[in-house]
């Protein structure tokens, strides 16, 4: 049994009901193998632990390792030309309807094999790891054939074996209607989305089922058909909802007990109420809001008031959020959405873990949780939200099961 202590740290445990950030000055953590067994003030460290091997961090800040709970990390090509077109006046929706947008990344992704997709995704993954990320969610959704969706999910799983990081996958074949099914979205669902889900499930490639509920993608009725199949397979669901307009996607997701509803710029009061009731996490994506120069911010005050857990994520993707920095995302969530730095940090730790259904395992520093801790060269946790383009990570501590 590997026992050790971590001392000389200022602990932002991010535990609820422990005051701001769950802060413990002059803190210490005791670990056994891959589990935290004790956390508190160093002076209270139980006697049995005082003889254990100790690693001292000179007063640095410790937080739970970060969780990026919404990414499209695996894709081919890039969309810099589309970025230029938007700057020349075209809107995201116009580009999508003209066959650009998501569908253009689909061609670039279909052209790559699994090895090439791994090579394309690794630099983005490494950038996130360098900022203390230890869990990442990765979606499919740029393949849109059964084989290409499976290829994306296999790539995601493989990335999880190449680095010390937990990869959680979401099946997102209902991301866009591919050109070969133009105006035949229902046939696409029947012939690709549903059988692909069965195949991916069979191969152990799916942790959750996602969709894009929007005028340029799938209707709530169509998403309900996908969610029915997820339910019959025992898979949790989540949804890109209310990003560009309000189709009551969050209500639909909540009615299936969704883990999360994501984006939510156009969420209304009824949607907030439905999410409150189902315990669905609101995943806010300031990178997409910023990139698309969206004017309407998600209803943060209403979510806060209703007690809906708020997570934030990079949404790393080649179109609406070419962002591979979770630290910058924290800053954007505070500046653009007015999340407090404490809410923003909870959004990439405790609540992001909840959005993935992993809140019993990770997301706070507390007995029973896994040893996934980030040590930072800062004094106060608010510095993580306040700085821009600065990475103060000192150490990402991830104890693998031995
Ligand atoms: N909403 C988004 O912001 C991403 N997917 C989605 O459903 C964008 C994906 C892309 O533009 O490639
Ligand atoms: Fe997304």
């Amino acid at each position: 049994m590997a026992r050790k202590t971590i001392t000389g740290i200022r602990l932002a445990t991010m535990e609820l009901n422990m005051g701001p950030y769950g802060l413990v000055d002059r803190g210490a953590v005791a670990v056994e193998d891959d589990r935290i067994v004790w956390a508190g003030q160093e002076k209270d460290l139980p006697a049995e632990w005082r003889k254990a091997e100790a690693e001292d961090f000179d007063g640095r800040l410790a937080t739970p390792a970060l969780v990026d709970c919404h990414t499209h990390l695996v894709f081919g090509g890039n969309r810099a030309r589309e970025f230029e077109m938007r700057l020349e006046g075209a809107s995201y929706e116009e580009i999508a309807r003209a066959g650009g947008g998501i569908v253009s990344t689909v061609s670039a992704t279909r052209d790559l094999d699994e090895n090439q997709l791994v090579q394309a995704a690794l630099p983005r993954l490494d950038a996130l790891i360098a900022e203390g990320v230890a869990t990442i969610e990765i979606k499919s959704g740029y393949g849109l054939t059964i084989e290409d969706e499976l290829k994306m999910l296999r790539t995601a799983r493989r990335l999880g074996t190449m680095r010390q990081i937990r990869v959680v996958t979401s099946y997102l074949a209902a991301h866009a209607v591919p050109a070969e099914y133009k105006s035949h979205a229902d046939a696409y669902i029947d012939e690709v989305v549903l059988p692909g889900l069965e195949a991916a499930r069979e191969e152990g490639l799916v942790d959750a089922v996602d969709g894009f509920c929007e005028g340029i993608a799938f209707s709530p009725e169509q998403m309900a058909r996908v969610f029915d199949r997820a339910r019959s397979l025992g898979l949790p669901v989540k949804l890109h909802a209310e990003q560009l307009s309000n189709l009551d996607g969050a209500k639909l997701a909540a009615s299936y007990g969704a883990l999360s509803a994501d984006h939510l710029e156009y969420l209304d009061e009824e949607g907030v109420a439905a999410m409150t009731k189902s315990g669905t996490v609101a995943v806010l994506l300031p990178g997409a809001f910023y990139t698309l120069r969206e004017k309407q911010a998600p209803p943060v005050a209403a979510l806060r008031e209703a007690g809906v857990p708020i997570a934030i994520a990079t949404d790393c993707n080649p179109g609406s959020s070419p962002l591979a920095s979770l630290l910058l995302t924290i800053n954007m969530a505070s500046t653009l959405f007015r999340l407090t730095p404490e809410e923003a940090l909870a959004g990439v730790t405790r609540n992001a873990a909840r959005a993935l259904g992993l809140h019993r395992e990770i997301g706070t520093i507390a007995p029973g949780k896994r040893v996934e801790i980030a040590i930072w060269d800062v004094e106060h946790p608010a510095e993580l939200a306040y700085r821009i383009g600065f990475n103060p990570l000192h150490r990402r501590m991830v104890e693998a099961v031995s």
Side-chain angles (χ1 to χ4, degrees):
M1 211 160 22
R3 290 174 133 216
K4 66 174 188 189
T5 59
I6 303 160
T7 56
I9 42 175
R10 181 169 220 201
L11 264 178
T13 65
M14 301 314 288
E15 278 282 289
L16 269 177
N17 309 318
M18 277 185 54
Y21 302 95
L23 215 55
V24 181
D25 269 331
R26 297 175 200 285
V29 175
V31 313
E32 216 170 88
D33 296 328
D34 59 341
R35 295 282 165 179
I36 296 169
V37 292
W38 186 92
Q41 284 192 344
E42 196 168 326
K43 67 175 177 45
D44 299 330
L45 192 67
E48 57 185 295
W49 286 98
R50 294 192 177 272
K51 294 185 292 291
E53 176 201 338
E55 189 164 9
D56 192 273
F57 283 98
D58 252 345
R60 290 187 173 86
L61 177 78
T63 68
L66 306 189
V67 178
D68 194 352
C69 68
H70 178 141
T71 85
H72 308 249
L73 196 86
V74 172
F75 58 83
N78 74 72
R79 305 238 291 275
R81 176 60 198 133
E82 176 182 321
F83 176 66
E84 288 183 324
M85 281 161 69
R86 282 204 310 275
L87 287 168
E88 288 156 12
S91 78
Y92 182 75
E93 281 158 299
E94 281 162 7
I95 292 168
R97 289 190 196 283
I102 293 175
V103 169
S104 69
T105 297
V106 170
S107 313
T109 303
R110 286 179 180 175
D111 283 347
L112 300 188
D113 65 21
E114 204 180 302
N115 288 328
Q116 293 168 314
L117 282 174
V118 164
Q119 291 314 314
L122 268 180
R124 299 188 277 270
L125 185 66
D126 286 336
L128 291 166
I129 289 172
E131 292 185 340
V133 172
T135 298
I136 183 172
E137 185 255 21
I138 301 179
K139 303 174 192 299
S140 67
Y142 291 121
L144 312 189
T145 66
I146 295 177
E147 252 329 295
D148 289 306
E149 287 292 297
L150 295 176
K151 177 180 75 181
M152 286 190 70
L153 293 169
R154 289 184 198 122
T155 302
R157 285 278 193 249
R158 210 162 109 203
L159 289 168
T161 66
M162 297 176 73
R163 296 288 188 270
Q164 202 170 45
I165 190 160
R166 177 185 299 98
V167 171
V168 179
T169 58
S170 297
Y171 177 77
L172 178 61
H175 192 199
V177 181
E180 60 275 18
Y181 280 95
K182 201 170 172 152
S183 310
H184 299 287
D186 281 297
Y188 171 65
I189 291 175
D190 289 329
E191 293 166 21
V192 177
V193 179
L194 299 179
L197 175 56
E198 306 255 353
R201 160 80 173 168
E202 188 79 5
E203 218 181 296
L205 294 172
V206 194
D207 298 322
V209 176
D210 197 352
F212 187 20
C213 189
E214 192 60 64
I216 53 171
F218 298 92
S219 68
E221 294 70 28
Q222 289 165 337
M223 279 319 307
R225 298 210 291 126
V226 179
F227 285 177
D228 284 337
R229 185 64 56 93
R231 181 182 270 171
S232 74
L233 293 171
L235 290 167
V237 304
K238 54 176 71 176
L239 191 63
H240 288 69
E242 276 73 90
Q243 178 184 7
L244 309 169
S245 64
N246 183 4
L247 296 185
D248 284 336
K251 254 169 53 185
L252 173 81
S255 75
Y256 283 83
L259 288 171
S260 69
D262 304 38
H263 285 285
L264 303 176
E265 277 81 346
Y266 291 83
L267 182 70
D268 63 14
E269 269 173 40
E270 273 182 47
V272 174
M275 290 176 68
T276 312
K277 235 174 94 192
S278 60
T280 298
V281 176
V283 177
L284 308 185
L285 305 165
F289 174 92
Y290 168 84
T291 300
L292 300 182
R293 304 186 78 235
E294 177 59 55
K295 296 289 175 295
Q296 181 159 328
V300 166
L303 291 165
R304 186 187 279 139
E305 181 124 330
V308 174
I310 299 173
I312 57 178
T314 60
D315 194 16
C316 180
N317 76 66
S320 66
S321 191
L323 169 63
S325 168
L326 198 52
L327 287 173
L328 180 54
T329 305
I330 298 173
N331 171 267
M332 286 179 170
S334 296
T335 302
L336 300 174
F337 294 165
R338 312 308 284 168
L339 259 63
T340 66
E342 185 186 356
E343 288 172 327
L345 192 56
V348 294
T349 55
R350 186 180 68 238
N351 291 341
R354 180 168 289 277
L356 299 177
L358 291 172
H359 46 290
R360 284 177 204 87
E361 290 286 301
I362 56 169
T364 70
I365 298 178
K369 294 279 171 88
R370 286 190 183 274
V371 182
E372 296 185 14
I373 295 173
I375 314 263
W376 308 92
D377 274 320
V378 303
E379 281 180 26
H380 193 275
E383 287 176 64
L384 297 176
Y386 143 81
R387 302 197 198 206
I388 301 172
F390 183 80
N391 180 3
L393 186 75
H394 174 73
R395 170 94 79 84
R396 197 188 69 130
M397 192 180 280
V398 178
E399 292 293 337
V401 195
S402 42

